[in-house]
Amino acid sequence: MALVTDPRPGIADRLSRMIQLPTVSAELDERGMQPFDDFVALIAELYPRTHEVLTLERHTDLGLLFHWRGAGGRGEDPVVLMAHYDVVPVDETDDWTHPPFAGVIADGIVYGRGALDDKGPLVVVLDAVENLLADGFTPARDVYLSFGGNEETFGRAAEEIALVLRDRGLVPWLVIDEGGAVVEAPLPFVPGRAAMIGVGEKGVMTITLSARGDGGHASAPPSLTAVRRVARAVDRLGPSTFRPRVSTAVARMLTRFAAETPGPARHLLRLLGAAPWLTGRVFAALGGEAAALVRTTVAPTMQSGGTAANVLPSQASATVNLRIALGETTQQAVWRVRRRIRDPLVTVRVVDASEPSPESAVGNAQFALLAEALSVSHPGIPAVPYVMMAATDSRHLHRFAPAVYRFAPLEMSNAQRASIHGVDEHVEIAALERGERFHRALLERLV
């Protein structure tokens, strides 16, 4: 059971109980389905009105689709609120302040794996729906809650749900999934807080680089072994492999920041917003998240080869993860990788690939609704468009839904953002309460 030292029961306790279920999709074979089945049973216990009024469908073993019928007969263009309830594994050697699956509540904070990614964003959706139902509320249009249990492993739950909606002729009017958050100093030269709303999503591609060579004794190696050939190929895929390119979303982000930023920084932001070529160079030079906003990134993640310390392996390989910038394609990325490697003896194989999303508009009623809900939950915090760098389940919907936004209405410090997939993941109870207000305000204002 969780150690509860905060006096306020409610949303924190519900999240704590969710965290205590180790729904680690990457360890499904070892852990089995029990944690996932227990999670489905838990939300039925915690949200009885939601399960009584909404219709629940199961798609694949891990996809949950709730349907809330609206009052206006607008079933063909619903709102879809998305989240996922699986989490990434924990390295047992990491030094967590509290056990990652204990769901400890202390000093106004909920600790544990999934607090931010993505059980925290999921609980604020369910709390909002449950509270509105308690008030006798019915939304103006149909609402779907889409919860996947294998987002972290690029599983098919959300993909199947998207196919079901499309096959039924439903074109969501608005889709909201995880992504941006309410953050402090969103760029190094931008002060203050902003609600970063992902209006586009980079593509994702995994490739393997492999080479063969003569095996033998390590005492007399040739000049270029299979391991060295692959290592050289990886080294050639440095940060400058792809040229920077500034999407419309990034230009809009800078323009929005300029309107909110006082002093000399305002003029810099206006200049960057009007000069994409300069923005690309500046952001690329900044590195990190800024660079990832303007170009395709290349990250070697695994290498293999060899069976013994004194034996030359006859083959070696490396796995590389790419995040494809908006405006580029996976096919172009593969061509660029091969050109940079410049070695016909290195085989480049695409393991999986997903194209970048189209950009959703910011001058429409949907984005205005997000900003209006923010004015209720986070007064004075501007809604700022940006490009989501990681992959989300919403990528299965943006092919046929025109307004897809990636935003979890929670405050996240830089340390909290670093804890996602890392150590000491945690969320403030006050942030959860404001997140619930965001979704409640959004649903109340549907037309």
Side-chain angles (χ1 to χ4, degrees), residues 181-199:
V182 178
V183 302
E184 187 77 29
L187 289 175
F189 43 83
V190 176
R193 293 194 298 165
M196 305 301 296
I197 299 177
V199 298

Side-chain angles (χ1 to χ4, degrees), residues 39-57:
F39 186 89
V40 176
L42 176 63
I43 62 173
E45 173 194 339
L46 297 178
Y47 301 98
R49 294 184 184 89
T50 299
H51 283 74
E52 178 183 351
V53 177
L54 279 64
T55 303
L56 172 60
E57 299 177 5

Side-chain angles (χ1 to χ4, degrees), residues 91-133:
D91 187 335
E92 299 297 335
T93 65
D94 287 338
D95 186 19
W96 286 66
T97 303
H98 302 287
F101 294 112
V104 169
I105 305 172
D107 302 320
I109 296 172
V110 184
Y111 293 87
R113 175 63 82 220
L116 294 172
D117 183 20
D118 190 37
K119 291 178 178 177
L122 184 147
V123 79
V124 300
V125 170
L126 282 172
D127 261 52
V129 172
E130 190 78 3
N131 292 338
L132 286 170
L133 289 171

Side-chain angles (χ1 to χ4, degrees), residues 88 113 116-117 152 412 415-423 425:
V88 296
R113 175 63 82 220
L116 294 172
D117 183 20
E152 298 291 2
M412 297 186 195
Q416 284 174 300
R417 291 161 65 199
S419 74
I420 296 174
H421 291 205
V423 177
E425 190 175 347

Side-chain angles (χ1 to χ4, degrees), residues 61-75:
D61 290 337
L62 297 170
L64 309 176
L65 182 64
F66 291 88
H67 180 201
W68 191 3
R69 295 190 182 277
R74 302 290 300 277

Side-chain angles (χ1 to χ4, degrees), residues 210-217 221-230 305-306 311-317 345-347:
S210 58
R212 300 193 64 85
D214 294 331
H217 201 283
S223 59
L224 197 59
T225 63
V227 169
R228 288 194 65 188
R229 188 178 291 276
V230 169
V311 176
L312 295 174
S314 58
Q315 61 180 356
S317 66
L345 296 182
V346 173
T347 300

